[in-house]
Amino acid sequence: MLHGSSNHSLHGASIKDRARSPNAEELDGIPWLPALTPAERRRAEAALVVGEAEVGDLVCRVGRSPTYWFGVVEGLLKMSNDNADGGSVTYAGIPPGGWFGEGTVMKREPYRYNIQALRRSVVAGLPIDSFHWLLDHSIGFNRFVMNQLNERLGQFIAALEIDRLNNPDARVARNLVSLFNPVLYPGVGEVLRITQQELAYLVGLSRQRVNEALNGLSAQGLIRVEYGGLRVLDLTGLRATAISNRKNTSPETETS
């Protein structure tokens, strides 16, 4: 059963209570399965489970030992931790197609962060023993995990830089660049299904300030705000804007 944190939602049932086998469409959305041989894939598909996480559910909790390697099939999660002053620090948003925690699973050490659902989400889990079997036997799987770790390192270096930015427009731009990472989050495509309030939670700004930043990026022709999400029109330009604006200061920075 799926039991990343055994956290109970407001609806009275934990994620593990809603665990089931993935359907064909959900399996098609798992990016590392095509890297396996037919025999490896059959073994992995037999071990995979999916569960529905309600808003606020913790998929992973600080201090808990990993039992699964997790990925987002549908929805949006956030990776965060509490800091010394009692606030929360968000490291990353995890949209569809994103798999996370491979370093923790490889080392079999307790989680050092929380993974929480920002909206109702479908989360897939590969049992930790199956993960290690694939590491031991599958070259394709090893390549996928190595690429994940490499991209993750770059993402967290960028996250540290974002945390130091006092320019709200740059913070929003850099977070959008991270969410549209085609290696870590291949399920996003050209349109990210996210609300302005969800983006505000990830960026650490008020919804109003995020809205101002999105309007500015839209006016530059970098993104387009659509019903229920955002479309990036120029990812290269968005990266350039984030970098060029990072040294600018603004007294408007605020936490939500």
Side-chain angles (χ1 to χ4, degrees), residues 35-247:
L36 308 182
T37 66
E40 292 165 353
R41 178 162 182 157
R42 287 193 295 271
R43 185 181 181 116
E45 288 183 353
L48 281 162
V49 294
V50 295
E52 295 181 2
E54 301 291 346
V55 177
D57 276 355
L58 286 172
V59 179
C60 306
R61 187 195 296 269
V62 171
R64 294 288 181 90
S65 296
T67 52
Y68 284 83
W69 181 43
F70 291 111
V72 182
V73 176
E74 179 183 328
L76 182 65
L77 310 181
K78 73 169 182 175
M79 178 184 291
S80 64
N81 205 344
D82 298 329
N83 56 27
D85 63 8
S88 179
V89 176
T90 297
Y91 299 130
I94 308 172
W99 284 73
F100 54 89
E102 52 277 344
T104 300
V105 174
M106 288 175 70
K107 292 181 287 186
R108 297 180 184 264
E109 67 178 18
Y111 289 108
R112 299 181 181 180
Y113 48 80
N114 294 317
I115 300 288
Q116 187 174 32
L118 287 181
R119 72 168 75 133
R120 189 174 185 179
S121 303
V122 177
V123 180
L126 179 71
I128 189 170
D129 289 339
S130 297
F131 177 92
H132 279 274
W133 186 92
L134 286 172
L135 278 184
D136 291 339
H137 295 86
S138 174
I139 293 176
F141 188 74
N142 272 271
R143 287 174 177 165
F144 181 89
V145 172
M146 285 176 63
N147 285 335
Q148 284 277 113
L149 292 171
N150 185 52
E151 288 290 327
R152 190 83 65 203
L153 177 61
Q155 183 188 56
F156 280 109
I157 290 174
L160 289 173
E161 190 172 49
I162 290 171
D163 194 51
R164 298 187 182 101
L165 294 177
N166 57 2
N167 182 293
D169 293 346
R171 290 177 67 96
V172 172
R174 292 295 293 272
N175 273 274
L176 287 178
V177 168
S178 175
L179 289 167
F180 277 91
N181 185 309
V183 176
L184 290 176
Y185 311 127
V188 172
E190 296 180 349
V191 179
L192 173 67
R193 299 300 175 188
I194 192 170
T195 67
Q196 291 186 11
Q197 186 59 65
E198 290 168 342
L199 185 56
Y201 288 142
L202 297 178
V203 178
L205 299 171
S206 69
R207 186 188 63 79
Q208 292 79 7
R209 190 61 189 85
V210 166
N211 180 56
E212 292 177 21
L214 292 177
N215 288 336
L217 295 173
S218 179
Q220 297 176 57
L222 301 175
I223 67 168
R224 183 166 67 230
V225 179
E226 300 184 355
Y227 179 76
L230 299 170
R231 181 183 296 272
V232 168
L233 305 176
D234 184 357
L235 185 57
T236 301
L238 190 63
R239 289 194 186 102
T241 297
I243 293 172
S244 64
N245 286 344
R246 67 186 179 186
K247 294 183 180 180

